[in-house]
Amino acid sequence: MPSPDVSPAAHLIAASGGRVTRTRIAVLEILQDSPRSLNHDDIAAQLAADGMPHDRVTLYRTLDWLVEQGLAHRVIGPDRARRFKAGGETRSQHAHFHCDRCGHVLCLESIRPEEQFTLPAGFEPDRAELVFHGTCADCGRQRGAKA
Amino acid sequence: MPSPDVSPAAHLIAASGGRVTRTRIAVLEILQDSPRSLNHDDIAAQLAADGMPHDRVTLYRTLDWLVEQGLAHRVIGPDRARRFKAGGETRSQHAHFHCDRCGHVLCLESIRPEEQFTLPAGFEPDRAELVFHGTCADCGRQRGAKA
DNA sequence: CGGCTAATGCTACAATGTTGCATTAGCCAA
DNA sequence: TTGGCTAATGCAACATTGTAGCATTAGCCG
């Protein structure tokens, strides 16, 4: 019997019916530890920093799998690169904020576009993506001293 | 002296201070004639159908130039490919609708996300992107007969 | 018409993501 | 614990979308 000190990430992965591998655990933990969404480079760099050798393709497939299992979700950035974040929040219709200064993408859980709009007749939306661009709270605080 | 039957597209291009070339006129007219946004393939196919030989890179540069001049605007699709549409509407903050059936992207001029939301303290948005996903009016009409 | 140079077209390259296949390693049962 | 099945990995090659450099073509203007 395994000791109970396996990470929550490992539990989630096991509960999804997939095999619990080093890569999946490491990637999911990286996503869970980050307050913002990460792209492939971010994650690859973190894996490297953790001394985890890995393959580019495996990372793509691992992330796809996590999204498929609802353990992570994807945001498509303005640089047309995908960013990932832990939690299967895709279907909970919250907005995102992309900061033009630091480049980070943050979730705005309180804002839900679906509830706010009435579309023209005939349109049947089943989800909505709302992304704000501008200066985030962190960068805004620094601005007084800087600009 | 040129006859007055030059296209409106040619006038717009001339007014922007750039040279009036076959490619620019053709691309701008294609965008103007389309009710939906087009990606590079769409435009290249249309140019080919019009018997206009052209280069892939030139098309990219032509589109960039049109956007720069405010004669067209860009939408970034979920397939992380750029789509273009005539008119410099980028800064008028309207929403878009991506149809999951036909793949087309339409503008919803009546919906302006900026006016609807209050962000958490500290966030300073200067623009917003709102994209709905679902079934568009056209595909919805066909659905009764189909599904 | 002639010349200046913006625009084009070609080739090569960059970034992001995908496919195929041989090898490794999780998981389960004996 | 061990052995075997097969999911997951790692590698190489490829696909798509977009850029950069540079020689050539063709708008524009005098």
Side-chain angles (χ1 to χ4, degrees):
Chain A
M1 176 193 246
S3 45
D5 63 347
V6 296
S7 72
H11 278 298
L12 284 170
I13 291 165
S16 295
R19 289 185 183 173
V20 181
T21 67
R22 286 182 315 149
T23 304
R24 286 181 179 170
I25 296 173
V27 171
L28 184 50
E29 286 180 346
I30 288 169
L31 292 179
Q32 287 176 332
D33 288 349
S34 170
R36 61 184 180 89
S37 60
L38 303 170
N39 61 26
H40 278 257
D41 273 348
D42 296 330
I43 299 166
Q46 187 61 53
L47 285 175
D50 294 350
M52 271 273 307
H54 65 282
D55 176 68
R56 211 166 58 90
V57 178
T58 300
L59 179 51
Y60 276 105
R61 288 196 276 229
T62 299
L63 286 166
D64 286 347
W65 184 85
L66 289 173
V67 169
E68 203 175 294
Q69 304 307 315
L71 298 177
H73 63 128
R74 234 193 304 249
V75 191
I76 178 129
D79 55 352
R80 76 181 193 295
R82 299 171 181 170
R83 292 162 183 281
F84 296 84
K85 197 166 186 306
E89 316 271 304
T90 306
R91 69 209 55 176
S92 90
Q93 308 287 355
H94 63 268
H96 292 95
F97 190 95
H98 174 93
C99 179
D100 293 331
R101 287 175 181 269
C102 60
H104 292 177
V105 177
L106 304 140
C107 294
L108 302 172
E109 306 280 352
S110 59
I111 295 181
R112 300 173 180 276
E114 287 249 314
E115 301 162 5
Q116 312 273 336
F117 294 107
T118 306
L119 293 175
F123 288 88
E124 295 177 22
D126 55 43
R127 83 198 159 84
E129 271 171 35
L130 175 58
V131 184
F132 291 93
H133 298 259
T135 306
C136 73
D138 278 351
C139 291
R141 268 193 289 278
Q142 295 163 16
R143 203 183 47 168
K146 169 183 169 289
Chain B
M1 173 195 250
S3 44
D5 63 348
V6 294
S7 72
H11 278 298
L12 284 170
I13 291 164
S16 295
R19 291 185 182 172
V20 180
T21 67
R22 287 182 316 148
T23 304
R24 286 180 179 171
I25 296 173
V27 170
L28 184 50
E29 287 181 344
I30 287 169
L31 292 179
Q32 288 175 331
D33 288 349
S34 171
R36 60 184 181 89
S37 60
L38 303 170
N39 61 26
H40 279 258
D41 274 348
D42 295 331
I43 299 166
Q46 187 63 52
L47 285 175
D50 294 351
M52 273 272 307
H54 66 282
D55 177 68
R56 209 167 61 92
V57 178
T58 300
L59 179 50
Y60 277 105
R61 287 196 277 229
T62 300
L63 286 165
D64 286 347
W65 184 85
L66 290 173
V67 170
E68 203 174 295
Q69 303 307 315
L71 298 178
H73 63 128
R74 234 193 304 249
V75 192
I76 178 126
D79 54 352
R80 79 183 189 294
R82 298 172 181 168
R83 293 161 182 280
F84 296 85
K85 198 166 184 306
E89 317 270 304
T90 305
R91 68 209 56 174
S92 89
Q93 309 286 354
H94 64 268
H96 293 94
F97 190 96
H98 174 92
C99 179
D100 292 330
R101 287 173 180 269
C102 60
H104 293 175
V105 177
L106 304 139
C107 294
L108 301 172
E109 306 280 352
S110 59
I111 295 181
R112 301 176 178 275
E114 287 249 314
E115 300 162 7
Q116 311 274 338
F117 294 106
T118 306
L119 294 175
F123 288 89
E124 296 177 21
D126 56 44
R127 86 199 156 83
E129 271 170 36
L130 175 58
V131 184
F132 291 93
H133 298 259
T135 306
C136 73
D138 278 351
C139 290
R141 267 193 289 280
Q142 296 164 14
R143 203 182 46 169
K146 169 182 169 291

